[in-house]
Amino acid sequence: MTDARTPEQKDDVSHNVTRLLRRLADDGGDRGLTLHEIRDRMDERAYGLLILLLSIPCLVPGLYGVPQVVGVIIILVAAQLLVGREEPWLPRCMLDLRARGSWLKAMADFAESKLSWIDRLSRPRLTRFADGPGEKLAAVFMILATLTIVLPMTNTIPSIALALLSVGLIQRDGLFVIAGAAVATAWLTLLGALAAGLLLGAEWATRLLPG
């Protein structure tokens, strides 16, 4: 793989999320960038930033279609983070997918208007939860949260968990990782309780049927 990053990009230690997203939008211009080009512009936080990029569109409530598609990519990327792969690998058919310039700009605008608080609050802390074994545990919660995205009308809350987990990895902020894991756990618990209630309710109802 050709490394398209400049020395300035490689040495950027601030990891300002909104600035990273704006830089991608500026680099893409009107034509946009392929996932391959986006990946090549990332630094050592490639996993976190790539999953954040994919989770932002899924924050739209009730969205159907897009979360189901990007969910497959998120699971593939998170699984590689879990097994300790140095950089994310994607099939050529996925790497050739192009994010339109208008989409990258809209995403950067959204981040600056709605997610600027992330850059104000996040910073390196509790790093044991955002690196090494903590990073792998974050990948597990990412996979679990993404599995619920494929369900209709359930994409927003797990996407919030993904965004928090991703920012935690980008900024090496263990507090954000813990918050993302807590949101994912609460959501999975709620879905499990609802599913159990439906099953128990269905079983109770069948007992009332004749014969």
Side-chain angles (χ1 to χ4, degrees), residues 56-131:
I56 287 177
C58 301
L59 290 168
V60 179
L63 190 64
Y64 186 76
V66 174
Q68 288 70 31
V69 174
V70 301
V72 174
I73 304 177
I74 292 174
I75 290 174
L76 180 58
V77 173
Q80 294 175 66
L81 176 62
L82 178 60
V83 300
R85 185 178 173 86
E86 186 174 346
E87 63 179 14
W89 172 90
L90 290 171
R92 174 59 59 180
C93 61
M94 291 183 179
L95 288 174
D96 289 340
L97 293 175
R98 181 172 295 277
R100 292 177 297 177
S102 59
W103 182 80
L104 289 174
K105 182 180 182 301
M107 184 176 59
D109 291 342
F110 175 83
E112 289 174 349
S113 63
K114 304 296 185 182
L115 303 180
S116 58
W117 58 272
I118 287 176
D119 291 319
R120 294 194 300 269
L121 297 180
S122 61
R123 62 183 183 273
R125 57 187 162 185
L126 300 175
T127 54
R128 63 182 178 276
F129 294 105
D131 199 5

